[in-house]
Amino acid sequence: MVMSRSGFHGVYPMIYAFFDEDGELLRAPIVASVEAMIRHHVNGLAVLGLASEVNKLSRNDRLKMLDWVIEANAGRLPLSVTVAENNIASQIEFCRLARERGASWLVLQPPPVSHIGEKQLLEFFSAVIDKVDLPIGIQNAPQYLGIGLSNSGLLELARRHANFLVAKTEGTAIAIERLVQETEGRFDVFNGRGGFELPDVLRAGAAGVIPGGESFDFFVKIYDAMKDGDEAQAERHYKDVLPLIVFLEESIDHLVIYGKRVAALRLGVDAGGIRIPSTLCTPFGLSAIRRFAEGMPRL
Protein backbone atom coordinates (compact mmCIF):
# COMPACT_ATOMS: atom_id res chain seq x y z
CA MET A 1 0.00 0.00 0.00
CA VAL A 2 1.27 3.48 -0.87
CA MET A 3 0.84 6.77 0.93
CA SER A 4 -1.50 9.21 -0.79
CA ARG A 5 0.06 12.42 -2.12
CA SER A 6 -3.33 14.04 -2.67
CA GLY A 7 -4.84 13.05 0.67
CA PHE A 8 -7.52 11.08 -1.21
CA HIS A 9 -7.41 7.29 -1.14
CA GLY A 10 -9.49 4.15 -0.94
CA VAL A 11 -12.88 3.37 -2.46
CA TYR A 12 -14.77 6.14 -4.29
CA PRO A 13 -17.76 4.46 -5.96
CA MET A 14 -19.18 6.16 -9.03
CA ILE A 15 -22.86 6.91 -8.43
CA TYR A 16 -25.18 5.59 -11.11
CA ALA A 17 -27.72 7.89 -12.74
CA PHE A 18 -31.23 6.45 -12.51
CA PHE A 19 -34.03 7.46 -14.88
CA ASP A 20 -37.81 7.15 -14.85
CA GLU A 21 -39.84 5.59 -17.66
CA ASP A 22 -39.73 8.90 -19.55
CA GLY A 23 -35.95 9.08 -19.32
CA GLU A 24 -35.87 11.83 -16.68
CA LEU A 25 -33.50 11.69 -13.71
CA LEU A 26 -34.82 9.91 -10.61
CA ARG A 27 -33.75 11.38 -7.29
CA ALA A 28 -34.73 8.65 -4.80
CA PRO A 29 -32.37 5.85 -5.95
CA ILE A 30 -29.49 8.31 -6.29
CA VAL A 31 -29.98 9.47 -2.71
CA ALA A 32 -30.38 5.85 -1.56
CA SER A 33 -27.04 5.05 -3.23
CA VAL A 34 -25.29 7.87 -1.37
CA GLU A 35 -26.73 6.77 1.98
CA ALA A 36 -25.72 3.15 1.41
CA MET A 37 -22.18 4.14 0.43
CA ILE A 38 -21.80 6.20 3.58
CA ARG A 39 -23.32 3.39 5.66
CA HIS A 40 -20.71 0.96 4.33
CA HIS A 41 -17.79 3.31 5.11
CA VAL A 42 -16.54 4.12 1.63
CA ASN A 43 -13.68 6.61 1.64
CA GLY A 44 -15.39 9.08 -0.67
CA LEU A 45 -18.01 9.52 -3.38
CA ALA A 46 -17.65 10.04 -7.12
CA VAL A 47 -20.19 11.38 -9.58
CA LEU A 48 -20.64 12.35 -13.24
CA GLY A 49 -18.15 9.87 -14.67
CA LEU A 50 -18.72 7.30 -17.40
CA ALA A 51 -20.71 5.03 -15.08
CA SER A 52 -22.99 8.01 -14.29
CA GLU A 53 -23.82 8.05 -18.05
CA VAL A 54 -22.52 11.59 -18.15
CA ASN A 55 -22.55 11.53 -21.96
CA LYS A 56 -26.36 11.34 -21.82
CA LEU A 57 -26.79 14.19 -19.36
CA SER A 58 -27.32 17.84 -20.27
CA ARG A 59 -25.49 20.45 -18.24
CA ASN A 60 -28.69 21.06 -16.28
CA ASP A 61 -28.95 17.32 -15.61
CA ARG A 62 -25.35 17.18 -14.44
CA LEU A 63 -25.85 20.05 -12.03
CA LYS A 64 -29.14 18.58 -10.81
CA MET A 65 -27.54 15.20 -10.09
CA LEU A 66 -24.54 16.88 -8.49
CA ASP A 67 -26.79 18.96 -6.24
CA TRP A 68 -28.75 15.86 -5.16
CA VAL A 69 -25.54 14.03 -4.27
CA ILE A 70 -24.09 17.00 -2.38
CA GLU A 71 -27.32 17.51 -0.44
CA ALA A 72 -27.52 13.82 0.48
CA ASN A 73 -23.85 13.66 1.43
CA ALA A 74 -24.12 16.80 3.59
CA GLY A 75 -20.35 17.10 3.79
CA ARG A 76 -19.85 13.69 5.38
CA LEU A 77 -17.39 12.39 2.77
CA PRO A 78 -15.05 13.95 0.21
CA LEU A 79 -16.59 14.15 -3.26
CA SER A 80 -14.88 13.65 -6.61
CA VAL A 81 -16.67 15.27 -9.55
CA THR A 82 -15.88 14.41 -13.16
CA VAL A 83 -15.88 17.31 -15.62
CA ALA A 84 -16.91 16.15 -19.09
CA GLU A 85 -17.44 19.43 -20.93
CA ASN A 86 -16.09 19.48 -24.47
CA ASN A 87 -13.99 22.65 -24.55
CA ILE A 88 -11.61 24.60 -22.33
CA ALA A 89 -13.97 27.43 -21.40
CA SER A 90 -16.82 25.06 -20.54
CA GLN A 91 -14.56 22.86 -18.42
CA ILE A 92 -13.29 25.86 -16.49
CA GLU A 93 -16.85 27.06 -15.90
CA PHE A 94 -18.07 23.63 -14.76
CA CYS A 95 -15.06 23.31 -12.44
CA ARG A 96 -16.07 26.63 -10.88
CA LEU A 97 -19.68 25.47 -10.44
CA ALA A 98 -18.60 22.17 -8.90
CA ARG A 99 -16.15 23.91 -6.57
CA GLU A 100 -18.81 26.37 -5.40
CA ARG A 101 -21.14 23.47 -4.64
CA GLY A 102 -18.56 21.68 -2.52
CA ALA A 103 -16.55 19.32 -4.71
CA SER A 104 -13.37 18.11 -2.97
CA TRP A 105 -11.49 17.27 -6.15
CA LEU A 106 -12.18 17.17 -9.86
CA VAL A 107 -11.46 14.69 -12.65
CA LEU A 108 -11.13 16.20 -16.12
CA GLN A 109 -12.21 14.11 -19.09
CA PRO A 110 -10.46 14.69 -22.40
CA PRO A 111 -12.50 16.26 -25.19
CA PRO A 112 -14.18 13.73 -27.53
CA VAL A 113 -11.68 14.27 -30.37
CA SER A 114 -9.62 11.12 -30.72
CA HIS A 115 -7.32 12.21 -33.56
CA ILE A 116 -5.51 15.09 -31.85
CA GLY A 117 -1.90 14.60 -30.78
CA GLU A 118 -0.60 14.35 -27.24
CA LYS A 119 0.86 17.86 -27.30
CA GLN A 120 -2.56 19.40 -27.99
CA LEU A 121 -4.24 17.26 -25.32
CA LEU A 122 -1.56 18.28 -22.83
CA GLU A 123 -2.20 21.94 -23.61
CA PHE A 124 -5.96 21.41 -23.25
CA PHE A 125 -5.59 20.01 -19.75
CA SER A 126 -2.99 22.63 -18.79
CA ALA A 127 -5.26 25.48 -19.84
CA VAL A 128 -8.03 24.17 -17.58
CA ILE A 129 -5.83 23.31 -14.60
CA ASP A 130 -4.26 26.79 -14.71
CA LYS A 131 -7.65 28.29 -13.86
CA VAL A 132 -8.83 25.87 -11.18
CA ASP A 133 -7.99 26.13 -7.49
CA LEU A 134 -8.75 22.53 -6.45
CA PRO A 135 -6.92 19.20 -6.54
CA ILE A 136 -7.23 17.90 -10.10
CA GLY A 137 -7.33 14.44 -11.58
CA ILE A 138 -7.24 13.41 -15.23
CA GLN A 139 -9.36 10.62 -16.65
CA ASN A 140 -6.79 8.72 -18.66
CA ALA A 141 -8.76 5.92 -20.27
CA PRO A 142 -7.95 5.66 -23.99
CA GLN A 143 -9.38 2.12 -23.88
CA TYR A 144 -12.85 3.66 -23.42
CA LEU A 145 -12.48 7.22 -24.71
CA GLY A 146 -10.12 6.71 -27.64
CA ILE A 147 -7.80 9.44 -26.38
CA GLY A 148 -5.34 9.83 -23.51
CA LEU A 149 -1.88 10.80 -22.38
CA SER A 150 1.21 8.60 -22.27
CA ASN A 151 2.98 8.04 -18.97
CA SER A 152 5.51 10.66 -19.98
CA GLY A 153 2.68 13.06 -20.83
CA LEU A 154 1.16 12.59 -17.38
CA LEU A 155 4.56 13.19 -15.79
CA GLU A 156 4.92 16.41 -17.77
CA LEU A 157 1.49 17.55 -16.56
CA ALA A 158 2.52 16.85 -12.95
CA ARG A 159 5.70 18.86 -13.43
CA ARG A 160 3.71 21.82 -14.73
CA HIS A 161 0.93 21.83 -12.14
CA ALA A 162 1.29 21.24 -8.41
CA ASN A 163 -2.47 20.63 -8.11
CA PHE A 164 -2.53 17.80 -10.67
CA LEU A 165 -2.61 15.03 -8.09
CA VAL A 166 -4.61 12.06 -9.44
CA ALA A 167 -4.68 9.93 -12.57
CA LYS A 168 -7.97 8.07 -13.02
CA THR A 169 -7.07 5.03 -15.11
CA GLU A 170 -8.64 1.86 -16.50
CA GLY A 171 -5.50 -0.26 -16.59
CA THR A 172 -4.27 -3.71 -15.65
CA ALA A 173 -2.22 -4.16 -12.50
CA ILE A 174 0.90 -4.48 -14.66
CA ALA A 175 0.10 -1.21 -16.44
CA ILE A 176 -0.51 0.52 -13.10
CA GLU A 177 2.85 -0.63 -11.72
CA ARG A 178 4.59 0.69 -14.84
CA LEU A 179 2.71 4.00 -14.61
CA VAL A 180 3.68 4.51 -10.97
CA GLN A 181 7.33 3.72 -11.68
CA GLU A 182 7.61 5.83 -14.84
CA THR A 183 5.96 8.88 -13.27
CA GLU A 184 8.13 8.86 -10.13
CA GLY A 185 5.10 8.67 -7.82
CA ARG A 186 4.31 12.32 -8.62
CA PHE A 187 0.54 11.74 -8.39
CA ASP A 188 -1.91 9.21 -7.02
CA VAL A 189 -3.51 6.57 -9.21
CA PHE A 190 -7.16 5.60 -8.88
CA ASN A 191 -8.06 2.70 -11.12
CA GLY A 192 -11.45 1.71 -12.44
CA ARG A 193 -12.24 -1.45 -14.43
CA GLY A 194 -15.10 -2.20 -12.03
CA GLY A 195 -12.63 -3.18 -9.32
CA PHE A 196 -11.00 -5.86 -11.47
CA GLU A 197 -7.63 -7.02 -10.05
CA LEU A 198 -8.10 -4.73 -7.04
CA PRO A 199 -5.66 -6.48 -4.66
CA ASP A 200 -2.93 -6.47 -7.30
CA VAL A 201 -3.76 -2.92 -8.39
CA LEU A 202 -3.14 -1.82 -4.80
CA ARG A 203 0.06 -3.87 -4.64
CA ALA A 204 1.15 -2.12 -7.85
CA GLY A 205 0.95 1.25 -6.14
CA ALA A 206 -2.58 2.56 -6.73
CA ALA A 207 -4.02 4.76 -3.99
CA GLY A 208 -7.57 3.68 -4.60
CA VAL A 209 -10.35 2.54 -6.88
CA ILE A 210 -13.36 4.20 -8.53
CA PRO A 211 -15.69 1.27 -9.28
CA GLY A 212 -19.38 1.16 -10.14
CA GLY A 213 -22.03 1.63 -7.51
CA GLU A 214 -23.22 -1.94 -7.10
CA SER A 215 -20.56 -3.80 -5.06
CA PHE A 216 -18.64 -1.08 -3.22
CA ASP A 217 -19.11 -2.84 0.15
CA PHE A 218 -16.88 -5.70 -1.05
CA PHE A 219 -14.27 -3.24 -2.30
CA VAL A 220 -14.21 -1.46 1.06
CA LYS A 221 -13.48 -4.81 2.73
CA ILE A 222 -10.72 -5.55 0.21
CA TYR A 223 -9.14 -2.12 0.61
CA ASP A 224 -9.31 -2.18 4.40
CA ALA A 225 -7.80 -5.67 4.56
CA MET A 226 -4.95 -4.64 2.25
CA LYS A 227 -4.36 -1.50 4.30
CA ASP A 228 -4.19 -3.62 7.46
CA GLY A 229 -1.70 -6.01 5.86
CA ASP A 230 -4.13 -8.94 5.73
CA GLU A 231 -3.69 -9.85 2.09
CA ALA A 232 -5.21 -13.32 2.51
CA GLN A 233 -8.45 -11.78 3.80
CA ALA A 234 -8.43 -9.27 0.94
CA GLU A 235 -8.14 -12.12 -1.56
CA ARG A 236 -11.07 -13.94 0.04
CA HIS A 237 -13.28 -10.86 -0.29
CA TYR A 238 -12.10 -10.42 -3.89
CA LYS A 239 -13.04 -14.00 -4.77
CA ASP A 240 -16.51 -13.38 -3.35
CA VAL A 241 -17.20 -10.55 -5.78
CA LEU A 242 -15.08 -11.69 -8.75
CA PRO A 243 -17.86 -13.52 -10.67
CA LEU A 244 -19.94 -10.34 -10.77
CA ILE A 245 -16.92 -8.24 -11.77
CA VAL A 246 -16.21 -10.58 -14.67
CA PHE A 247 -19.86 -10.48 -15.79
CA LEU A 248 -19.96 -6.66 -15.74
CA GLU A 249 -16.57 -5.96 -17.29
CA GLU A 250 -17.56 -6.41 -20.96
CA SER A 251 -17.88 -2.67 -21.65
CA ILE A 252 -18.93 0.58 -19.99
CA ASP A 253 -22.43 0.33 -21.46
CA HIS A 254 -22.75 -3.25 -20.23
CA LEU A 255 -21.50 -2.27 -16.77
CA VAL A 256 -23.98 0.58 -16.53
CA ILE A 257 -27.12 -1.19 -17.69
CA TYR A 258 -26.56 -4.34 -15.64
CA GLY A 259 -24.57 -2.92 -12.72
CA LYS A 260 -27.28 -0.35 -12.10
CA ARG A 261 -29.82 -3.15 -11.80
CA VAL A 262 -27.66 -5.07 -9.35
CA ALA A 263 -27.42 -1.87 -7.32
CA ALA A 264 -31.20 -1.40 -7.40
CA LEU A 265 -31.83 -4.98 -6.30
CA ARG A 266 -29.35 -4.69 -3.44
CA LEU A 267 -30.73 -1.30 -2.40
CA GLY A 268 -34.34 -2.44 -2.62
CA VAL A 269 -35.29 0.39 -5.01
CA ASP A 270 -36.88 0.51 -8.45
CA ALA A 271 -34.23 0.56 -11.19
CA GLY A 272 -36.56 2.73 -13.28
CA GLY A 273 -36.21 3.07 -17.02
CA ILE A 274 -33.48 4.03 -19.47
CA ARG A 275 -32.43 7.13 -21.36
CA ILE A 276 -31.96 6.18 -24.99
CA PRO A 277 -29.75 5.38 -26.76
CA SER A 278 -28.95 2.53 -24.41
CA THR A 279 -27.82 -1.06 -24.37
CA LEU A 280 -30.85 -3.18 -23.54
CA CYS A 281 -30.91 -5.95 -20.96
CA THR A 282 -31.78 -9.41 -22.20
CA PRO A 283 -33.96 -11.85 -20.23
CA PHE A 284 -30.91 -14.07 -19.80
CA GLY A 285 -28.80 -11.14 -18.57
CA LEU A 286 -31.50 -10.09 -16.11
CA SER A 287 -31.72 -13.60 -14.72
CA ALA A 288 -27.94 -13.59 -14.25
CA ILE A 289 -27.88 -10.32 -12.32
CA ARG A 290 -30.79 -11.43 -10.16
CA ARG A 291 -28.78 -14.51 -9.28
CA PHE A 292 -25.74 -12.38 -8.43
CA ALA A 293 -27.80 -9.97 -6.33
CA GLU A 294 -29.51 -12.77 -4.44
CA GLY A 295 -26.11 -14.11 -3.41
CA MET A 296 -25.03 -10.74 -2.00
CA PRO A 297 -26.21 -8.99 1.19
CA ARG A 298 -28.62 -6.08 0.98
CA LEU A 299 -27.06 -2.63 0.97
Side-chain angles (χ1 to χ4, degrees):
M1 299 287 290
V2 299
M3 296 296 293
S4 167
R5 292 180 63 92
S6 65
F8 307 116
H9 61 89
V11 180
Y12 275 67
M14 185 62 66
I15 300 164
Y16 289 124
F18 289 85
F19 304 101
D20 65 19
E21 296 302 329
D22 296 321
E24 297 300 315
L25 279 170
L26 270 175
R27 179 174 185 154
I30 292 170
V31 171
S33 297
V34 172
E35 291 296 341
M37 290 171 185
I38 293 171
R39 190 162 55 246
H40 286 277
H41 307 292
V42 300
N43 303 93
L45 307 172
V47 68
L48 299 183
L50 295 176
S52 296
E53 297 176 85
V54 68
N55 59 322
K56 298 180 186 178
L57 303 179
S58 68
R59 172 173 277 209
N60 285 341
D61 286 333
R62 295 175 192 184
L63 291 174
K64 180 187 294 185
M65 185 172 176
L66 177 56
D67 285 341
W68 290 348
V69 169
I70 287 172
E71 183 179 343
N73 180 39
R76 288 177 284 179
L77 289 176
L79 175 65
S80 171
V81 178
T82 299
V83 179
E85 307 299 304
N86 294 336
N87 59 71
I88 290 169
S90 294
Q91 285 217 352
I92 292 170
E93 174 65 7
F94 199 90
C95 287
R96 181 185 66 79
L97 294 171
R99 183 181 186 276
E100 289 175 353
R101 282 164 164 77
S104 306
W105 53 289
L106 306 171
V107 176
L108 309 181
Q109 276 192 6
V113 187
S114 59
H115 62 273
I116 65 173
E118 178 164 89
K119 184 177 185 299
Q120 191 175 151
L121 182 57
L122 194 62
E123 296 307 321
F124 176 93
F125 284 137
S126 260
V128 177
I129 297 172
D130 267 341
K131 301 296 184 180
V132 180
D133 183 23
L134 267 185
I136 295 291
I138 298 296
Q139 179 145 33
N140 207 54
Q143 309 92 321
Y144 294 149
L145 299 174
I147 183 172
L149 293 173
S150 65
N151 291 353
S152 59
L154 289 167
L155 180 58
E156 172 61 23
L157 200 63
R159 287 170 173 161
R160 292 187 189 184
H161 303 282
N163 62 326
F164 167 50
L165 294 171
V166 178
K168 165 60 170 65
T169 60
E170 302 286 344
T172 65
I174 289 174
I176 298 301
E177 192 274 340
R178 185 181 306 120
L179 169 62
V180 171
Q181 293 301 317
E182 292 181 1
T183 56
E184 304 167 1
R186 294 287 293 268
F187 48 79
D188 293 330
V189 177
F190 275 73
N191 205 40
R193 294 185 77 209
F196 210 87
E197 292 188 291
L198 180 54
D200 278 330
V201 164
L202 295 171
R203 292 182 183 109
V209 61
I210 301 179
E214 78 292 323
S215 45
F216 50 83
D217 51 330
F218 288 87
F219 298 130
V220 169
K221 291 176 183 177
I222 294 166
Y223 178 78
D224 286 347
M226 290 292 290
K227 185 176 64 174
D228 292 341
D230 193 347
E231 296 190 12
Q233 182 69 5
E235 294 289 354
R236 285 191 287 272
H237 291 310
Y238 181 61
K239 288 177 182 177
D240 289 339
V241 75
L242 183 57
L244 176 59
I245 296 174
V246 172
F247 178 85
L248 294 177
E249 188 52 23
E250 179 182 313
S251 67
I252 286 291
D253 290 338
H254 183 89
L255 165 70
V256 167
I257 200 66
Y258 285 108
K260 186 191 302 186
R261 277 150 183 78
V262 175
L265 288 168
R266 297 191 67 204
L267 288 166
V269 300
D270 185 356
I274 60 172
R275 178 172 284 188
I276 59 174
S278 175
T279 298
L280 298 177
C281 294
T282 68
F284 178 81
L286 287 172
S287 69
I289 62 103
R290 280 194 294 269
R291 185 178 69 252
F292 286 125
E294 287 168 1
M296 304 170 79
R298 288 286 294 269
L299 290 168

